[in-house]
Amino acid sequence: MTTGMSRRRFLGLSTAVAAGAAATSLTGCGSSAAGKGEAASAKVKLPSYAPFTKVKPDLAANAKGLSAGFLSYPEELVRSVTRTPGDGSKVTMLTEIWVQPPLSKGSNDHWRQVDKALGVELTAILGTDPGYEEKFPAIVAAGDLPDLMWIPPNQGLQHIAQLLEGKMADLTEYVSGDAVKDYPNLANMTPAHWKTAVVNGRIWGAPSPYPALGQVYGGNPEIWQKADGFSARSTEEFLDKCKEVTGGNVWALEPIYVNAVSVLSQCFGGPNKWARAKDGSVSYHMESEEFLEALNFVVKLKKAGVFYPGDPKMADAYVKMAQGRIGACVYANPAGARKDTRINDPALGAEILIPFDADGHKANAHLHAFGTIGYTAIKKGSEKRVRMLLDVLNYLAAPFGTKEREFLEFGTEGTDFTYDKDGFPQRTKQGKQQVEGLYSGLTTATTAPFVLQPASFPGDEGVQDVRDIYAVEKKLLATAVPNATIGHYSDAYTERFGRMQTESNDLVNDIVAGRRKISEWKPFWQEWGPKGLDRMKEEFRKSLEAAGE
């Protein structure tokens, strides 16, 4: 799965999904779901974590989110699936792809081989980015849902509880606790992954794991070399270094101010999206004092002239960093930062900024807001069919180093891929046409936990990249804090968050640009209390309380 999808927002789906849900009369069958929305995600036993041990990484993973690291491609691949999972029936899947679509099934030998390996006749409905936000509600409105349906993080979709309870299979009894061990590749996922598939106290799908750590600043080491590296021990030192590297045709930071405040709020010990206090109350990170302090600091950076003078939504910041015009950009996660800089310049490996203690605060790092990019739900059916489809998903979640994973990702040796000089598979022209797009959709549906491996990083420094990013992850995880509401549902959130986020982001941009005053920040959040924020916080609080968390 590419980490390049990070900046995409799934929130645009919310209004359309609400319309689709209404069109299929899900609100009628979902009255109980609506009633449970405020106390969603009651106690549920998450699937047991049973790491896949048949392939041993050079650098070990852990349940906290540290990625496994491989310094070479396994010499001998192993099997993770002992039998063909399917029963020969037709299976439809709705998922999303992040690359060029593959050749159609009629012209795609690899697709037909996937059918044979899975033991089903797979019809994959491949949404695109952008485009999925239109395809998803259209399919919901049509009424005849696919057997497998990828759902982006549930907090961004309205009425998702009704959709799940009305049309999809409750998977709790199949995967809760040790039951998941019937599906070993799914058991390889951590509880943090599974929490994103919990709605109203039930488990509704197989997760699509994503790197555990969230946004970071990645810097061009050639630019920061003159300032003794992209690191700091205080806000004063960070500001001084930004001034030092800014000059001529170079600016220290990209002008995406919202990302700057969010990442730098970690230096002030800011919450990760939603926080829970000792008294059980819930708060949103942008209303916190730590976020306000970070906003003040970004205003100071702006006045110092260290931001590139461009659009705060600029799309080519990564390219400008590779060109040596921008010193640092915000990336989805540490591995994504190193990979994306290598893509733009194979000789350029991003240096990751470790959050520093700012103005008397203890810094923290943020785990990824959702932990996954979604989950794939299964349409209601007999126990036999649900278990068969779980077996199919179990195959798709085959880990790195297995024969199943190599086949899904690269196809057949000699036609779809060849091994490079370091022993890693590389797709041929046919592989790019037939395998790449289909694999993108399959891995969006579900996949194994992310691993670090040299072939992910373009250029000749892949082994060092793995070591570097693994070390960065260890440092960040030492102080990482989670989003308190993962696995919990709020109707008010799905209804109102999109507008709240747009308005708050616009206000950040206006304050940093000098068009509005920072004194308007706290009143903005006071005004949003009765407009939906108070409901969000109370619904999340009740859900957390019901879950005994």
Side-chain angles (χ1 to χ4, degrees), residues 178-295:
D178 286 346
V180 75
K181 293 179 180 178
D182 288 341
Y183 313 96
N185 292 338
L186 298 182
N188 187 41
M189 300 179 190
T190 70
H193 294 136
W194 285 101
K195 283 193 73 174
T196 62
V198 174
V199 178
N200 287 349
R202 314 301 291 170
I203 302 170
W204 295 98
S208 308
Y210 197 71
L213 289 156
Q215 288 184 324
V216 294
Y217 258 127
N220 181 328
E222 295 177 1
I223 290 176
W224 293 95
Q225 185 177 8
K226 66 183 294 185
D228 294 325
F230 190 40
S231 63
R233 290 163 293 185
S234 66
T235 51
E236 291 79 9
E237 184 178 7
F238 186 77
L239 175 58
D240 288 343
K241 285 192 172 189
C242 287
K243 289 179 179 178
E244 186 175 354
V245 303
T246 298
N249 203 30
V250 179
W251 289 264
L253 306 172
E254 66 172 346
I256 304 180
Y257 308 131
V258 172
N259 283 350
V261 181
S262 181
V263 171
L264 290 172
S265 74
Q266 299 174 52
C267 299
F268 293 87
N272 182 5
K273 303 306 179 189
W274 294 92
R276 194 178 189 209
K278 291 182 179 179
D279 65 1
S281 61
V282 175
S283 60
Y284 186 52
H285 75 122
M286 292 182 84
E287 61 175 332
S288 70
E289 288 297 325
E290 294 86 356
F291 192 93
L292 178 57
E293 289 185 72
L295 178 56

Side-chain angles (χ1 to χ4, degrees), residues 2 97-102 128 436-438 440-441:
T2 178
I97 59 173
W98 311 90
V99 295
Q100 287 293 319
T128 57
E436 186 175 60
L438 181 59
S440 180

Side-chain angles (χ1 to χ4, degrees), residues 384-524:
K384 182 178 180 181
R385 183 155 182 84
V386 170
R387 287 195 178 278
M388 184 274 290
L389 292 171
L390 275 170
D391 281 331
V392 169
L393 293 172
N394 179 71
Y395 188 107
L396 298 182
F400 179 83
T402 64
K403 293 183 178 180
E404 295 85 6
R405 171 64 176 265
E406 183 181 81
F407 166 69
L408 290 170
E409 187 170 3
F410 296 102
T412 301
E413 183 185 1
T415 55
D416 299 318
F417 77 91
T418 58
Y419 293 103
D420 66 16
K421 62 182 178 61
D422 297 315
F424 286 89
Q426 299 293 335
R427 294 189 188 101
T428 62
K429 180 179 179 181
Q430 177 173 306
K432 288 183 176 296
Q433 294 174 333
Q434 298 192 11
V435 181
E436 186 175 60
L438 181 59
Y439 178 69
S440 180
L442 296 178
T443 199
T444 296
T446 191
T447 190
F450 177 76
V451 301
L452 297 165
Q453 49 112 352
S456 294
F457 305 100
D460 299 324
E461 303 296 327
V463 171
Q464 190 59 47
D465 289 339
V466 170
R467 292 188 185 278
D468 289 348
I469 299 304
Y470 186 82
V472 165
E473 286 191 0
K474 288 183 75 172
K475 289 180 181 179
L476 294 175
L477 283 167
T479 64
V481 294
N483 175 352
T485 64
I486 290 298
H488 295 271
Y489 191 82
S490 161
D491 288 329
Y493 181 103
T494 61
E495 293 166 5
R496 306 293 292 165
F497 181 76
R499 179 180 172 186
M500 186 177 82
Q501 185 183 56
T502 297
E503 292 182 2
S504 59
N505 287 352
D506 288 345
L507 182 54
V508 167
N509 288 334
D510 287 344
I511 289 172
V512 176
R515 293 186 292 270
R516 297 179 69 175
K517 298 178 179 179
I518 201 161
S519 60
E520 298 179 59
W521 187 250
K522 285 190 174 181
F524 171 86

Side-chain angles (χ1 to χ4, degrees), residues 145-211:
L145 299 184
D147 298 292
L148 300 170
M149 193 170 189
W150 178 66
I151 300 175
N154 60 55
Q155 291 90 339
L157 301 176
Q158 291 184 17
H159 303 299
I160 199 66
Q162 290 94 325
L163 173 64
L164 293 170
E165 294 198 357
K167 298 293 184 177
M168 311 310 286
D170 177 356
L171 302 181
T172 309
E173 67 175 290
Y174 302 104
V175 298
S176 179
D178 286 346
V180 75
K181 293 179 180 178
D182 288 341
Y183 313 96
N185 292 338
L186 298 182
N188 187 41
M189 300 179 190
T190 70
H193 294 136
W194 285 101
K195 283 193 73 174
T196 62
V198 174
V199 178
N200 287 349
R202 314 301 291 170
I203 302 170
W204 295 98
S208 308
Y210 197 71

